[in-house]
Amino acid sequence: MTSISPPVLEIRDLTVDFLSDDAPVRAVDGVSLFVNRGETLCILGESGSGKSVSSATVLDLLDMPPAEIVSGQILFEGRDLAEMTFDERRQINGRKVAMIFQDPLAHLNPVYTIGAQICEVFRAHRICDGAEARRRGLELLKRVGIPDPETRFDRYPHEFSGGQRQRIMIAMAIALEPSLLIADEPTTALDVSIQAQILELLLDLQREFGMALVMITHDLEVAAAMADRVIVMRRGRIVESGEARDVFTDPRDDYTRRLMAAIPSHDVNDGRRSTVPATENLLDVQGLTKVYQMTSGIFSPPRSVAAVEGVSFQVGRGETLGIVGESGSGKSSVAKMLIRLVEPTAGRVLLHGADIYALEGADLMGLRRKVQMVFQDPYSSMNPRMTVEAIISEPWRIHGDILPRSRWRGRVHELLDLVGLNPDWATRYPHQFSGGQRQRIAIARALACDPELIICDEAVSALDVSVQMQVIDLLANLRDRLGLAYVFITHDLPIVRNFADRIIVMRGGKVVETAETQTLFTAPRHDYTKSLLSSSPRPKWERMREQASNAS
């Protein structure tokens, strides 16, 4: 009789509380799951669903207190982790179970080179040191696709792009060829093409080492591309589990069905674009250029780097213009120049025919009222010591002549109601809201000046998929009701496909293609645009069916 090997990881009836001044908060409630060798399990759910807390218990990463494991077992290769000694647990963490975190820059030490941090993995587990550790570190950097690893081995984390930092984190995680790899939102902040490279790298490493992979994500398209099985969590509980294809194509739970309905449609005719054609030209950007002078040291001559080069476009009243491109393409630099946070090297930006760079004094303050911005991270763009009422009313304090003080509170309540928030929450502080609610507050603040144009710089990138669509629906509704125009900057192609009227594609600071949304997605002309569109994740079961068909 052949014995059946146990799952690499099995969690049985796990319950975790967080202690507070009032009653304990139940973060995980009776969760049971397993993952086998060579299998990918995706844990889905919105922020606060308990998915990250469940995985953190495996590596003993929770601070206790305030966290408290109330009940349950965590079995690794059949052994209960709670019954292991400290030394036994240390032999597992990092060596047999490794983790990739969402924000690599926050988890890499900024004062050590990336080579030193990779070598530390070998030293900490007493595998090797010195020249041998360096040799293995260089091999890992090559394996995860870091260019010129011999030169870059001794560089620091800030000298790498976001995608490269994530590859460095992966190199550290696979250094000891673990049996289980836990990836917590590993691609959330990455461009679509970089995301595709990271996902393909994880699949290659899984095939090479036979690892079990647990991927935690709120990105449903990523989960469909990676998962063999799926678990859906809500409020600390598992509401649905099963084979990935079954969960995505025939969900049983109402919450799962709502999640799947929030996935942006691939039909370019099924969108939230403006139903009224733009008849008046609001913004005219002509040959916008920004060149930075960079130096490598006091003895090196300066070199010129063009962040934006010759960018031109127009935005009509009531229109949404999408700007897409990878990190470093110049999207955010364009946004900063549109609101004069950065002065251009050359070019003009005309608002109602007036060059905004010629404005001074009161005229410049008038520009600030007409053009507002919504940033990617609303929490970092708000003063944590100010109430929501103070945050939204701050523009009136600055401009002085928009609204009498006696009407401030009433108008704050009107704006909160307009963006779908309870007006009674005006006395709360930013930390008391979810990410999606904070973004709604940021939108309310942008509306306080009655602007004509709002620039959204990755305004929904960090939000859960259902919250993303709620914010997009809100923006579309406000556009139609108030006649707003948007410049919507994003790397998320499904979102821009369902929201923008026209799209410009940027690469290396230049515009490589401009087209109506439907035309761009159905008949792209530029090779770079085609590569971006082809990078969007495709369900795993579709790829496997194609491979089987080609093989036959």
Side-chain angles (χ1 to χ4, degrees), residues 7 61 74 107 110 145 228 246 259 305 328 333 508 522:
L61 295 179
I74 303 172
H107 291 88
D228 297 304
D246 296 336
L259 274 185
V305 176
S333 294
T522 56

Side-chain angles (χ1 to χ4, degrees), residues 434-452:
S434 68
Q437 289 171 333
R438 284 196 289 262
Q439 200 60 286
R440 288 172 181 263
I441 295 168
I443 294 169
R445 178 177 58 184
L447 293 173
C449 292
D450 295 323
E452 298 177 77

